Amino acid sequence: MENNQFSEFNQKYKKALNEYLNDNIESESHLLSGYQLGRNSVADNLGILSVVAIHHDSLIEYLENFKKDKYSEITDKASIFLQEVLAPYQMVAKDFQNAITLINKNILNFSHRIQDLQEREAQLKVLMAKQEASLKEKESLLKEVYHRVKNNLQVVTSLINLQVETIKDLSAKHILIESETRVKSMALIHEMLYQSENLSKIEMPKYMNGLLNYLIEAYSIDINKIKVITDVDQFDLTIDYAIPCGLILNELISNAIKYAFPNKNQGRIFVSLKKIKNDITLTVTDDGIGLKETFDIDTVNTLGLRLIDNLSKQISGTMTLKKQPGTNFIISFKIE
């Protein structure tokens, strides 16, 4: 509070105290004036000691005009006035104390909350560590399963291959080679799953490249005469789609190699695998001799075409055949 404000308050205080002390009926209006002085002093940041000092000086000045036997009575009455003046200070102090109490309570609650969160975090870390250990164990077991399936399928293909070498009948030999390629198409998937960090999906461009290379080798194709051209989008398929898709591709490529180019004349096989959102389209086209006009896929009963039809239905797909020039198979399906 500035000096002029202090002097103004001092004068008001003396006047109000004198009016109260001179009032024989002790009017409530004078006490209200004292209370209002107290509120103003709080608002003006006048310290409580300063108010008490002003009261003391004002009271001494007032008492100088009275006899000694009146001092005690006047002092007691003045104390009542001072209590009214100091009441706002007591309220502020009470509010301040309540605020401090509330802050301390909130801090305590907050500390308990932090402690609770820290305990939950520790429990969560323990749980996550257990889940991670369990997941690693399951991944290890799943890899072992893929590895064993791949080895078992490899054993089957080796046995078939040994049998092929002992058979002289070309028709029987071709049947065994077809069976061998079917097993190999599944073995490749399990081999890739075993080698991959992702144990549930197959990288389709890599898988198709491996399968095509195997088929070219299995059927002794001269790549200088018969070229395989691929156009495969970069995406993954789950094993539920990859295995049927691989088997379908195996049948279509095998058919093209065996029938499209008599005497292994020059030609091209186009393989396309496209993905647009959830729609997958597998297309195998050759520029070979094509199918006869009388060919009806609904009446043909060969194992390869039956496999293609059944596998397409397995993945809720559709098969479309276009004849002349060459042969064009389109397999369309949706992935979830």
Side-chain angles (χ1 to χ4, degrees):
M1 179 180 285
E2 298 180 357
N3 291 333
N4 58 344
Q5 290 178 312
F6 184 85
S7 300
E8 184 181 352
F9 179 81
N10 192 11
Q11 293 174 3
K12 289 181 179 180
Y13 193 92
K14 286 181 180 181
K15 180 181 178 182
L17 179 62
N18 288 343
E19 290 177 351
Y20 174 70
L21 293 176
N22 291 330
D23 185 6
N24 293 327
I25 61 174
E26 300 182 3
S27 172
E28 289 291 330
S29 62
H30 294 303
L31 292 177
L32 184 61
S33 297
Y35 179 78
Q36 188 61 47
L37 278 172
R39 291 189 61 182
N40 292 339
S41 64
V42 171
D44 293 336
N45 296 321
L46 180 62
I48 189 170
L49 295 179
S50 297
V51 175
V52 173
I54 290 172
H55 174 81
H56 182 265
D57 293 341
S58 300
L59 181 59
I60 289 176
E61 184 178 334
Y62 182 86
L63 289 175
E64 289 177 349
N65 299 320
F66 290 88
K67 297 179 180 180
K68 292 182 179 180
D69 59 346
K70 293 281 187 175
Y71 286 180
S72 177
E73 179 182 344
I74 293 172
T75 301
D76 291 342
K77 188 176 181 181
S79 296
I80 297 174
F81 183 81
L82 180 60
Q83 289 177 8
E84 290 298 319
V85 174
L86 298 182
Y89 286 91
Q90 294 174 348
M91 292 177 64
V92 171
K94 183 178 180 181
D95 290 341
F96 181 75
Q97 185 61 42
N98 289 339
I100 293 296
T101 302
L102 181 60
I103 290 173
N104 289 336
K105 182 178 179 181
N106 289 339
I107 290 174
L108 182 61
N109 291 338
F110 187 66
S111 64
H112 287 161
R113 179 62 177 167
I114 290 176
Q115 184 178 359
D116 182 55
L117 289 174
Q118 289 174 339
E119 291 176 357
R120 291 187 181 184
E121 183 181 7
Q123 293 173 355
L124 184 59
K125 285 182 178 179
V126 172
L127 180 60
M128 289 178 64
K130 290 181 178 178
Q131 290 179 339
E132 186 176 355
S134 176
L135 182 60
K136 286 183 178 179
E137 182 181 359
K138 290 178 181 178
E139 287 179 351
S140 178
L141 291 173
L142 190 54
K143 277 198 170 188
E144 181 64 23
V145 170
Y146 288 146
H147 184 56
R148 292 190 179 188
V149 171
K150 184 262 296 183
N151 286 345
N152 290 337
L153 291 174
Q154 190 64 48
V155 169
V156 173
T157 57
S158 297
L159 290 173
I160 295 175
N161 191 48
L162 289 173
Q163 188 68 51
V164 168
E165 294 177 358
T166 63
I167 293 178
K168 295 181 180 180
D169 183 88
L170 291 179
S171 134
K173 183 174 289 192
H174 282 308
I175 291 173
L176 287 175
I177 291 176
E178 289 173 359
S179 298
E180 181 184 349
T181 59
R182 289 165 186 150
V183 175
K184 184 63 177 180
S185 69
M186 294 185 287
L188 278 174
I189 287 180
H190 287 86
E191 182 177 356
M192 288 183 64
L193 288 171
Y194 173 70
Q195 296 173 349
S196 172
E197 293 182 0
N198 190 331
L199 299 179
S200 62
K201 293 186 176 182
I202 294 294
E203 185 181 346
M204 292 309 293
K206 183 178 179 181
Y207 169 67
M208 290 182 66
N209 184 59
L211 180 58
L212 290 172
N213 288 337
Y214 169 75
L215 291 173
I216 290 171
E217 181 182 352
Y219 287 102
S220 302
I221 298 300
D222 185 350
I223 58 175
N224 294 318
K225 292 184 177 181
I226 300 177
K227 297 183 180 299
V228 179
I229 302 169
T230 60
D231 182 14
V232 182
D233 288 347
Q234 183 66 50
F235 67 95
D236 298 341
L237 283 181
T238 62
I239 190 172
D240 293 333
Y241 291 102
I243 289 180
C245 192
L247 287 169
I248 290 172
L249 179 62
N250 174 78
E251 296 302 320
L252 294 175
I253 296 295
S254 298
N255 285 343
I257 291 173
K258 288 186 299 181
Y259 304 119
F261 312 106
N263 303 318
K264 298 183 179 179
N265 292 330
Q266 289 187 345
R268 292 176 298 177
I269 301 173
F270 302 91
V271 179
S272 169
L273 184 65
K274 294 295 180 179
K275 179 178 183 291
I276 301 177
K277 294 184 179 179
N278 290 337
D279 294 320
I280 309 296
T281 303
L282 171 63
T283 305
V284 177
T285 305
D286 66 69
D287 59 357
I289 61 173
L291 298 172
K292 295 179 180 179
E293 286 294 335
T294 58
F295 180 86
D296 185 357
I297 194 171
D298 294 326
T299 59
V300 174
N301 200 31
T302 63
L303 176 60
L305 288 176
R306 289 212 320 267
L307 272 175
I308 295 171
D309 183 55
N310 290 335
L311 290 168
S312 298
K313 292 177 180 178
Q314 181 179 322
I315 53 178
S316 301
T318 59
M319 177 177 64
T320 303
L321 170 62
K322 296 181 180 180
K323 298 179 289 184
Q324 301 294 342
T327 306
N328 176 253
F329 278 93
I330 302 173
I331 310 296
S332 302
F333 60 95
K334 286 182 177 289
I335 57 175
E336 296 178 356

